[in-house]
Amino acid sequence: DAGVIQSPRHEVTEMGQEVTLRCKLISGHNSLFWYRQTMMRGLELLIYFNNNVPIDDSGMPEDRFSAKMPNASFSTLKIQPSEPRDSAVYFCASMTGSVGKLFFGSGTQLSVL
Amino acid sequence: QQPVQSPQAVILREGEDAVINCSSSKALYSVHWYRQKHGEAPVFLMILLKGGEQKGHEKISASFNEKKQQSSLYLTASQLSYSGTYFCGKANNAGNMLTFGGGTRLMVKP
């Protein structure tokens, strides 16, 4: 199994630009999580999908952030417009069933200048 | 609400033991432990589902006290490979949404 695949691995952009992060789940997994990691705030849960449906997006910081899951195997996290304080490592993770273990992707290192 | 971990950082010599604590002000239905090495993604260590349950992974074990809403991770005879940041996670009552504590940075020196 290829594991959870994220792209790009690194993204450098200028303030105000739109950023799209991508995530491919492990086949058969039905839950998808987006996390953001910074030194100051640790590993924050942004949004959680179950069976393609957003269940909890209370962690999404602002309206500038949006996430979609157009099918069972793929998700995007979009930031528009991006700001320097959005700089962080963004992880997606997938899980099968409930109370299971999370499989993390390698993360996207985002730098907004 | 995120669980709270202590200590924030630990430095050990190879072969020494360490304990990392995780607590929650609200009910803990299950506790999940992950380890993240520098520049990598977090990796699953273990889940504890019942109060009093103890589990082990290599020489790493954990306990879960549901009443006290606490869990502890025990690292015995630490190895260089144990270095990294350890996170505890708590699930919601449905068991399917995981929030993490601030992490404990562990450094094992030769």
Side-chain angles (χ1 to χ4, degrees), chain A residues 4-45:
Chain A
V4 177
I5 300 172
Q6 288 188 247
S7 63
R9 286 296 308 272
H10 302 274
E11 176 80 32
V12 180
T13 190
E14 292 189 346
M15 184 173 68
Q17 295 297 307
E18 177 180 298
V19 174
T20 299
L21 311 181
R22 296 173 176 80
C23 175
K24 184 175 185 300
L25 283 70
I26 293 174
S27 177
H29 283 197
N30 60 346
S31 296
L32 182 280
F33 302 78
W34 281 101
Y35 289 91
R36 177 172 69 176
Q37 187 172 36
T38 60
M39 287 293 293
M40 291 296 295
R41 301 175 72 90
L43 202 54
E44 300 175 273
L45 176 63

Side-chain angles (χ1 to χ4, degrees), chain A residues 21 23 25 30-36 43-50 52-62 65-69 75-79 90-95 102 104, chain B residues 96-100:
Chain A
L21 311 181
C23 175
L25 283 70
N30 60 346
S31 296
L32 182 280
F33 302 78
W34 281 101
Y35 289 91
R36 177 172 69 176
L43 202 54
E44 300 175 273
L45 176 63
L46 299 178
I47 187 169
Y48 151 60
F49 290 85
N50 185 248
N52 306 2
V53 176
I55 303 299
D56 192 309
D57 65 356
S58 59
M60 295 286 261
E62 298 169 36
F65 286 69
S66 63
K68 292 183 179 179
M69 199 162 172
S75 177
T76 59
L77 178 68
K78 188 177 291 188
I79 308 172
Y90 290 81
F91 288 103
C92 73
S94 71
M95 182 174 77
L102 289 177
F104 282 82
Chain B
N96 51 16
M97 194 173 89
L98 203 58
T99 55
F100 288 97

Side-chain angles (χ1 to χ4, degrees), chain B:
Chain B
Q1 198 165 14
Q2 290 179 299
V4 176
Q5 288 184 236
S6 64
Q8 288 189 312
V10 183
I11 300 176
L12 298 173
R13 292 283 177 192
E14 240 181 322
E16 292 181 339
D17 301 340
V19 180
I20 299 171
N21 299 304
C22 174
S23 64
S24 175
S25 58
K26 297 196 173 181
L28 267 179
Y29 302 102
S30 62
V31 179
H32 305 231
W33 287 98
Y34 285 75
R35 177 171 65 200
Q36 183 181 30
K37 293 188 179 282
H38 182 69
E40 299 180 7
V43 173
F44 171 82
L45 289 177
M46 65 190 79
I47 297 174
L48 297 101
L49 298 176
K50 299 178 193 174
E53 185 175 27
Q54 297 191 5
K55 281 203 169 178
H57 172 85
E58 301 170 345
K59 287 185 180 176
I60 301 172
S61 61
S63 62
F64 178 23
N65 187 323
E66 202 173 350
K67 271 190 177 180
K68 291 187 176 180
Q69 297 167 182
Q70 293 174 347
S71 176
S72 294
L73 188 72
Y74 306 95
L75 298 99
T76 306
S78 58
Q79 306 169 15
L80 295 176
S81 62
Y82 287 1
S83 293
T85 300
Y86 289 79
F87 292 95
C88 74
K90 59 174 282 188
N92 61 353
N93 56 1
N96 51 16
M97 194 173 89
L98 203 58
T99 55
F100 288 97
T104 296
R105 296 183 70 179
L106 180 78
M107 182 184 295
V108 181
K109 295 186 171 181

